[in-house]
Amino acid sequence: MAREELTRLTGTVGGPDGDDDDCPNVYRTKSGSFVVQGDVSDAFATRDGEGLVEIPEHILREAVRALGW
């Protein structure tokens, strides 16, 4: 899936420091699922094909607002 096929829900209006950094972000797919981009976390080991990312609370709040929830 190409990035252009995703709807970016966060990072378009600036973070708490006023930046529009590329990471972290939350995207929505055409099927309604979510893709989260963030710093890799090593909090615990995941199964093959899975990964963990860390994402600040303000990014998730921004994504919820973008969806109108």
Side-chain angles (χ1 to χ4, degrees):
M1 172 180 320
R3 180 184 247 176
E4 294 77 26
E5 298 178 60
L6 304 172
T7 301
R8 187 173 175 172
L9 300 176
T10 58
T12 57
V13 295
D17 299 325
D19 61 359
D20 290 337
D21 198 4
D22 196 39
C23 183
N25 276 302
V26 177
Y27 298 86
R28 190 164 197 186
T29 67
K30 289 181 182 178
S31 68
S33 63
F34 298 93
V35 175
V36 178
Q37 174 188 12
D39 293 329
V40 175
S41 173
D42 61 358
F44 61 87
T46 60
R47 293 183 277 182
D48 286 345
E50 295 181 350
L52 301 174
V53 298
E54 291 188 38
I55 189 162
E57 181 179 330
H58 77 273
I59 296 294
L60 294 178
R61 289 182 183 275
E62 185 180 345
V64 168
R65 279 193 302 273
L67 291 168
W69 293 353

